[in-house]
Amino acid sequence: MAQASTPSAVTGTTHKWVFPFEEGSADMRDLLGGKGAGCAGMTRAGLPVPPGFTITTEACVAYYSAGQQFPPGMWEQTLAALEAVEKKTGKKLGDPADPLLVSVRSGARVSMPGMMDTVLNLGLNDRSVEGLARLTDNRRFAYDAYRRFIQMFGRIVQDIAPEAFDEVFEAAKTRAGAKQDTDLGAEQLKKIVAEFKQVVRRQTGRDFPADPLDQLSQAIEAVFRSWMGKRAVDYRRAEKISDEWGTAVNVQAMVFGNMGFDSGTGVAFTRDPTTGQKQLYGNFLANAQGEDVVAGIRNAEPIAAMRDHNPGVYAEFERIAAQLERAYRDMQDLEFTVERGKLYMLQTRSGKRTGRSAVKIARDMVAEGILSVDEALLRVEPRHVEQLLLPRFDEQAKAAAESAGRLIAKGVPASPGAAVGEAVLDPDRAEERARAGARVVLVRPETSPDDFHGMIGSQGILTSRGGTSSHAAVVARGLGKPCIVGAETVRVDLARRVFSVDGRQVAEGELISIDGGSGEVLLGEVTTVEPNFAEDEDLQQVLRWADERRRLGVWANADRARDATKARELGAQGIGLCRTEHMFEEAERLPFVRQMILNAAPAKRDPEARKEYLAALEKLLGYQREDFKSLLKAMDGRPVIIRLLDPPLHEFLPKYEDLLVEVTEMRARGQGGPELSEREELLRAVAVMREANPMLGLRGCRLGLLYPEINEMQVRAILEAAVELKKQGHDPQPEIMIPLVGDVRELRRVKEQLVKTAETVTGQAGADVHYKFGTMIEIPRAALTADMIAQEAEFFSFGTNDLTQTVYGFSRDDAEGKFLGFYQDEKLLPNNPFQVLDAEGVGKLVEMGVQLGRKTRPDLEIGICGEHGGDPESVAFCHGAGLNYVSASPYRVPIARLAAAQAAIRGESNTASRESATPE
Ligand code: PEP
Ligand code: MG
């Protein structure tokens, strides 16, 4: 197994590796993990928690640094803590007279649903099982616990495939004529235990460990090992959780929910994790052990059913739930067990929630006086906002699909949003199809952590079993993917690669549509629509708070009036980047664009070519004037940064290779005449313009230096548009941006010439239009000489796409497809630097650019318009670097608004804690 890279490990026999619950506390999450800290907090608050202890996350880290060995002193401390639990319970691990049984569970700093497995009933062997039978006066219960233990221990600790046990179990059920597990009697279960032990012997070559301490040490080690297991690593990758945190191990006295109908087990959220409604939400299963609920094996009842089974316990649970929510000041996800009428709390942690639920809870908790506005803003995650901008089904399209009989099933809505994709029945294929670019809906009987890689790539998830607390539901909500669970009429036939619903067959690969908000499954594609942002009151309130709190402006990258209007609706305060080349791509303009390009160079010596060149520019001037008029009008009163033409010109021409093939074929067919000559001429022109490294070639301001008429045409169009709008009573605020500058002399030359053009236009019109000239900082040299650049530039916009490309020397067009995935897998890079700004390198240049630029021009307006402008982590960086605004693609504007507020709040609390930590 690969050695985990770990931070410097804490060693030494005196180091404290183990914390009994009463010695820990709720704020020790990093050391005790979420579960451990939760149990410690509840124990300290005097709540009924079965006694236990936590082995720290540090111990896990030390285990890996020591080459997968328990650190010195850890085992001795474990034995001492176990003894304390034995004293408290009056039982002893493995004691045939009165056996203590324990559970062993993992618990990392943040909850990682389903990633780590639990071993229950540890401490059973052939002797203690008899003791348990006598004490409980229930042989069946004792042997059922024993067979569950061997099954779990075999699967989790000894890596035996679950089917090996399932086959034995199913065969025994058939032999006994048992329909349900509960139909099996004590003697039958005892036989199963013996057969399970044979399975273990066959698969591992060794006997099942009978010594409870041996069982315990193996189980602890398995938890440590699972930290580096594939599922855990996959999850951490997706969630950007560090491999170096380690997991804690919790060892806790067992309580039994399966001791009859006055017992039971459940999971509940203090508020509805889908809608945010303030009511207990979850499932209860009478006479069952915890894993039955979580795995969704038996369909559990709603939590309110517990009131009928045991009103006293329900009332106590309600009280505790409210107490925990107040204490943690957040919606809690609780696990509990009732053993013979007595309630035990097993876990409390902040509950995962959908975007809808997150914004409602944040808003409600401020109204209820539980949270301050700042705290509420920190509770909503940027991805929650993203979810609320998710598409849903078009009502009409859905109604039409329904009346055409395409609504085939209804399950339990578990995570909202609409998804359309081909039905895929196993996670490997889902992953493969998603990689190939297909939209996929994963359809499974139920999911387990082994399905995670397939879930990440899917648009949505549909399961036939399980409830709202099942693995599928919890993970999908976390990932923000639409999900339906418990669609019981859906039968998945993996062997034939179909699923059927009431006799109707759907082959793998067929398109289906699912609505995770309503639970509906439809055949074929149903059109989806954008959500109604304007009427989403909870989200609007949260974003208004964010706006009050943030210092960074949020602008948008938009090239057309339609996108600008959308961006404005979503809260954009300006346009940070209009890429004018996108305006050149429209079919009716393309011939003039080509005419301009092909004649630009010849125009310098050939009067005919010059005529053609100027005619093309004149034509494009007309188009551009209208483009800019509508864009500036859509953003009336707000700044609009318009970038002069940037890409290499040959991007607008046919590809050299395609032309070469075409001409060769024409010649081979003996095709001659004007058509061939025209293609040959084009081929020659394209050949002349070919570059080895176009991204570093004739583009950006270099184009304007060689062919000033193109820039002049664009500036003329911008200002003529502005003048017209101004005359109509509008307030246009164009800012003209010169791209890819590396040296102030480039900028000076281009600007001098364009200022003349601008002054001519405004002077002739006699209009007082406010405009600025600025530049992109996207070449390292520009950042390094930003003080000089700022002599000419009235604003800076960091083009972090090109800046990342040039700082790393990674070709944008090649890196992502060729090697960045590998780099991330190998941890050569923490993130894709084209998505998350590389603070260490690119960021250093950004900071330098800001400092130098403002040294020359203190009021310099500085923003960022690379893709990073919509990424929350990068937004936080921009806040820290003192930028004026970030510019993001329109749909990410609300995300950036929240991220900017969070950065402001966190920045202040960091400063405050630094100040308070300063000694007098
Ligand atoms: C950039 O380089 O960051 C940028 C915004 O420009 P483009 O992506 O168009 O090169
Ligand atoms: Mg660029």
Side-chain angles (χ1 to χ4, degrees):
M1 181 176 137
Q3 181 65 52
S5 61
T6 50
S8 58
V10 189
T11 48
T13 42
T14 52
H15 190 76
K16 189 166 173 62
W17 303 110
V18 178
F19 283 77
F21 289 162
E22 52 282 359
E23 289 179 20
S25 70
D27 54 14
M28 290 168 71
R29 277 184 88 86
D30 291 359
L31 188 63
L32 303 181
K35 253 179 221 143
C39 280
M42 291 194 294
T43 303
R44 290 257 191 133
L47 299 183
V49 179
F53 56 89
T54 304
I55 304 172
T56 64
T57 52
E58 275 179 5
C60 176
V61 171
Y63 168 83
Y64 280 105
S65 336
Q68 302 196 28
Q69 298 214 344
F70 289 161
M74 188 202 97
W75 181 244
E76 291 73 17
Q77 292 176 27
T78 302
L79 293 178
L82 178 67
E83 210 176 297
V85 174
E86 290 177 333
K87 274 217 184 88
K88 274 193 209 100
T89 55
K91 299 165 188 276
K92 264 180 102 60
L93 195 73
D95 181 359
D98 193 0
L100 168 72
L101 302 188
V102 295
S103 64
V104 178
R105 357 178 142 213
S106 63
R109 206 188 284 194
V110 296
S111 88
M112 298 173 54
M115 290 298 111
M116 309 276 186
D117 293 314
T118 302
V119 178
L120 299 176
N121 306 341
L122 188 141
L124 282 172
N125 57 25
D126 290 353
R127 278 155 35 90
S128 60
V129 71
E130 287 296 336
L132 185 66
R134 252 193 327 278
L135 271 167
T136 56
D137 199 17
N138 190 339
R139 252 181 108 64
R140 187 199 176 277
F141 162 77
Y143 275 95
D144 192 42
Y146 196 13
R147 72 93 190 159
R148 283 173 191 257
F149 170 52
I150 299 175
Q151 209 168 348
M152 269 186 272
F153 193 92
R155 178 173 63 80
I156 299 161
V157 179
Q158 302 180 305
D159 286 330
I160 298 172
E163 293 80 22
F165 295 109
D166 291 347
E167 278 164 19
V168 170
F169 196 63
E170 289 307 316
K173 267 166 76 178
T174 314
R175 256 197 332 264
K179 276 210 185 80
Q180 306 225 351
D181 301 4
T182 41
D183 296 338
L184 291 166
E187 285 316 307
Q188 285 151 337
L189 288 163
K190 188 173 175 181
K191 272 207 198 90
I192 292 173
V193 163
E195 288 182 51
F196 275 5
K197 285 205 268 181
Q198 280 169 16
V199 170
V200 171
R201 199 170 307 125
R202 262 200 314 276
Q203 303 264 345
T204 66
R206 272 190 267 153
D207 283 337
F208 187 81
D211 174 4
L213 288 181
D214 191 13
Q215 295 171 356
L216 181 62
S217 103
Q218 286 193 40
I220 291 169
E221 189 163 6
V223 173
F224 285 165
R225 273 202 320 264
S226 72
W227 177 252
M228 290 310 285
K230 176 171 163 36
R231 295 175 337 211
V233 173
D234 279 353
Y235 184 83
R236 291 201 294 274
R237 262 311 113 84
E239 295 290 308
K240 303 222 178 92
I241 294 172
S242 165
D243 280 350
E244 305 192 357
W245 287 357
T247 178
V249 186
N250 298 293
V251 180
Q252 187 172 26
M254 288 288 306
V255 285
F256 295 96
N258 54 343
M259 294 188 84
F261 279 88
D262 56 352
S263 303
T265 185
V267 288
F269 294 88
T270 53
R271 301 187 188 215
D272 188 323
T274 307
T275 64
Q277 289 301 328
K278 192 178 176 186
Q279 63 189 33
L280 278 182
Y281 181 90
N283 300 112
F284 177 74
L285 200 52
N287 196 17
Q289 265 197 334
E291 84 268 23
D292 298 339
V293 178
V294 177
I297 287 167
R298 275 162 62 193
N299 283 341
E301 297 175 273
I303 188 79
M306 198 166 102
R307 190 180 308 180
D308 307 332
H309 291 290
N310 196 331
V313 170
Y314 185 78
E316 188 187 0
F317 180 68
E318 255 185 332
R319 211 184 53 244
I320 289 176
Q323 181 184 340
L324 285 169
E325 193 181 87
R326 286 241 155 217
Y328 284 90
R329 305 165 70 236
D330 197 6
M331 185 262 265
Q332 295 294 294
D333 172 356
L334 307 170
E335 276 183 28
F336 63 94
T337 285
V338 182
E339 184 183 279
R340 290 182 168 156
K342 171 151 178 43
L343 174 68
Y344 289 97
M345 298 303 297
L346 300 181
Q347 177 167 302
T348 187
R349 60 181 175 191
S350 286
K352 290 213 182 285
R353 63 206 73 180
T354 60
R356 166 75 30 246
S357 173
V359 291
K360 177 159 173 57
I361 291 174
R363 190 178 176 200
D364 287 353
M365 284 194 166
V366 171
E368 289 164 31
I370 298 176
L371 295 181
S372 69
V373 167
D374 278 6
E375 287 168 320
L377 283 169
L378 292 176
R379 290 287 164 77
V380 180
E381 296 171 30
R383 64 171 160 186
H384 287 142
V385 174
E386 188 165 15
Q387 259 183 47
L388 290 176
L389 306 169
L390 284 178
R392 49 193 169 71
F393 286 137
D394 173 73
E395 287 302 325
Q396 273 184 339
K398 196 174 123 199
E402 273 177 45
S403 55
R406 283 163 51 200
L407 175 62
I408 53 169
K410 211 162 170 188
V412 181
S415 179
V420 180
E422 51 188 62
V424 172
L425 307 183
D426 77 73
D428 293 342
R429 189 169 294 187
E431 187 182 38
E432 183 190 312
R433 291 293 300 141
R435 281 223 176 111
R439 293 175 304 164
V440 165
V441 175
L442 184 64
V443 184
R444 301 283 282 162
E446 63 200 332
T447 64
S448 76
D450 290 327
D451 295 52
F452 186 71
H453 59 294
M455 299 171 81
I456 304 176
S458 301
Q459 306 290 313
I461 295 131
L462 166 64
T463 71
S464 50
R465 291 209 285 266
T468 45
S469 315
S470 66
H471 177 266
V474 172
V475 172
R477 272 201 296 276
L479 292 172
K481 303 215 181 249
C483 176
I484 299 173
V485 296
E488 290 177 4
T489 52
V490 172
R491 294 194 189 284
V492 179
D493 184 343
L494 245 184
R496 293 176 45 235
R497 306 219 69 100
V498 293
F499 75 85
S500 60
V501 191
D502 302 328
R504 191 166 179 168
Q505 302 227 334
V506 183
E508 189 169 42
E510 279 186 52
L511 276 186
I512 60 168
S513 303
I514 64 168
D515 182 342
S518 70
E520 291 159 306
V521 183
L522 296 108
L523 273 185
E525 171 153 13
V526 178
T527 320
T528 51
V529 285
E530 297 294 312
N532 193 342
F533 177 76
E535 283 172 24
D536 190 331
E537 283 173 22
D538 292 325
L539 179 58
Q540 292 290 352
Q541 177 61 69
V542 166
L543 291 174
R544 271 197 302 277
W545 282 331
D547 292 344
E548 283 163 20
R549 216 46 195 83
R550 67 189 160 90
R551 186 189 54 67
L552 268 180
V554 177
W555 298 15
N557 293 356
D559 310 321
R560 294 180 175 83
R562 183 174 24 98
D563 302 339
T565 306
K566 175 92 204 150
R568 201 170 172 155
E569 271 167 34
L570 294 170
Q573 297 160 287
I575 297 299
L577 175 64
C578 160
R579 291 178 164 104
T580 51
E581 60 267 26
H582 291 165
M583 299 164 161
F584 284 28
E585 286 163 3
E586 281 175 28
E588 59 167 0
R589 305 174 181 196
L590 211 51
F592 303 107
V593 176
R594 290 187 176 164
Q595 184 181 331
M596 170 185 83
I597 293 169
L598 292 170
N599 290 290
K604 292 191 190 296
R605 28 173 219 282
D606 173 0
E608 263 318 296
R610 185 160 180 83
K611 229 197 272 162
E612 287 280 303
Y613 179 49
L614 295 180
L617 284 168
E618 188 60 28
K619 194 76 195 169
L620 291 171
L621 174 68
Y623 284 123
Q624 288 265 271
R625 198 187 298 120
E626 289 312 305
D627 291 336
F628 297 136
K629 232 168 93 180
S630 57
L631 185 65
L632 289 165
K633 196 165 155 191
M635 293 305 288
D636 203 16
R638 303 195 183 180
V640 177
I641 296 187
I642 298 167
R643 180 175 73 185
L644 302 179
L645 196 64
D646 177 35
L649 291 182
H650 65 69
E651 279 190 11
F652 298 99
L653 300 175
K655 280 207 169 57
Y656 172 79
E657 292 78 6
D658 294 348
L659 274 174
L660 190 63
V661 170
E662 207 183 321
V663 167
T664 312
E665 281 176 359
M666 282 170 98
R667 285 184 188 143
R669 282 198 301 269
Q671 216 173 326
E675 218 181 314
L676 176 64
S677 326
E678 188 258 327
R679 297 320 268 176
E680 283 174 335
E681 199 178 324
L682 189 57
L683 178 64
R684 268 194 300 281
V686 170
V688 169
M689 294 177 72
R690 274 179 96 202
E691 291 177 303
N693 273 316
M695 285 303 255
L696 299 177
L698 180 55
R699 58 170 290 219
C701 67
R702 304 157 200 171
L703 279 174
L705 286 164
L706 261 67
Y707 312 121
E709 301 80 4
I710 302 180
N711 275 353
E712 273 172 30
M713 176 275 287
Q714 289 197 294
V715 169
R716 178 172 285 277
I718 293 167
L719 287 162
E720 285 179 357
V723 164
E724 269 188 55
L725 287 174
K726 190 87 189 180
K727 284 187 178 157
Q728 289 168 12
H730 295 289
D731 178 19
Q733 299 193 10
E735 303 192 7
I736 298 158
M737 181 151 76
I738 297 158
L740 220 75
V741 164
D743 189 307
V744 69
R745 282 164 283 220
E746 294 175 307
L747 180 60
R748 190 173 295 130
R749 171 79 69 86
V750 175
K751 193 181 142 194
E752 266 167 17
Q753 160 217 346
L754 294 178
V755 166
K756 269 192 220 128
T757 310
E759 283 171 356
T760 313
V761 176
T762 49
Q764 276 168 359
D768 174 26
V769 174
H770 182 75
Y771 59 86
K772 282 186 188 172
F773 278 100
T775 188
M776 292 190 78
I777 306 290
E778 51 183 343
I779 298 283
R781 197 180 186 288
L784 294 167
T785 60
D787 46 349
M788 290 190 263
I789 306 255
Q791 290 164 3
E792 297 296 332
E794 291 169 281
F795 65 87
F796 279 1
S797 178
F798 283 96
T800 44
N801 303 334
D802 270 308
L803 196 57
T804 301
Q805 164 168 271
T806 45
V807 166
Y808 267 109
F810 287 168
S811 153
R812 276 157 75 175
D813 294 339
D814 301 315
E816 285 182 312
K818 295 269 193 320
F819 58 83
L820 276 187
F822 171 80
Y823 266 43
Q824 283 171 265
D825 287 348
E826 294 292 314
K827 294 205 218 142
L828 289 165
L829 285 177
N831 294 300
N832 175 344
F834 290 106
Q835 283 167 6
V836 181
L837 191 113
D838 156 47
E840 290 169 359
V842 177
K844 208 173 267 176
L845 280 175
V846 171
E847 283 166 344
M848 181 184 284
V850 172
Q851 252 182 17
L852 291 177
R854 292 230 172 99
K855 208 165 87 189
T856 304
R857 202 185 277 263
D859 62 346
L860 188 69
E861 168 196 286
I862 307 182
I864 176 177
C865 64
E867 285 311 304
H868 307 92
D871 166 65
E873 211 176 306
S874 314
V875 170
F877 175 85
C878 294
H879 170 87
L883 267 56
N884 297 91
Y885 68 88
V886 294
S887 187
S889 52
Y891 90 100
R892 298 183 89 183
V893 163
I895 299 166
R897 287 164 69 190
L898 177 67
Q902 292 183 335
I905 296 166
R906 292 197 178 110
E908 271 172 31
S909 73
N910 285 346
T911 317
S913 61
R914 262 202 308 280
E915 277 165 9
S916 66
T918 314
E920 309 255 297

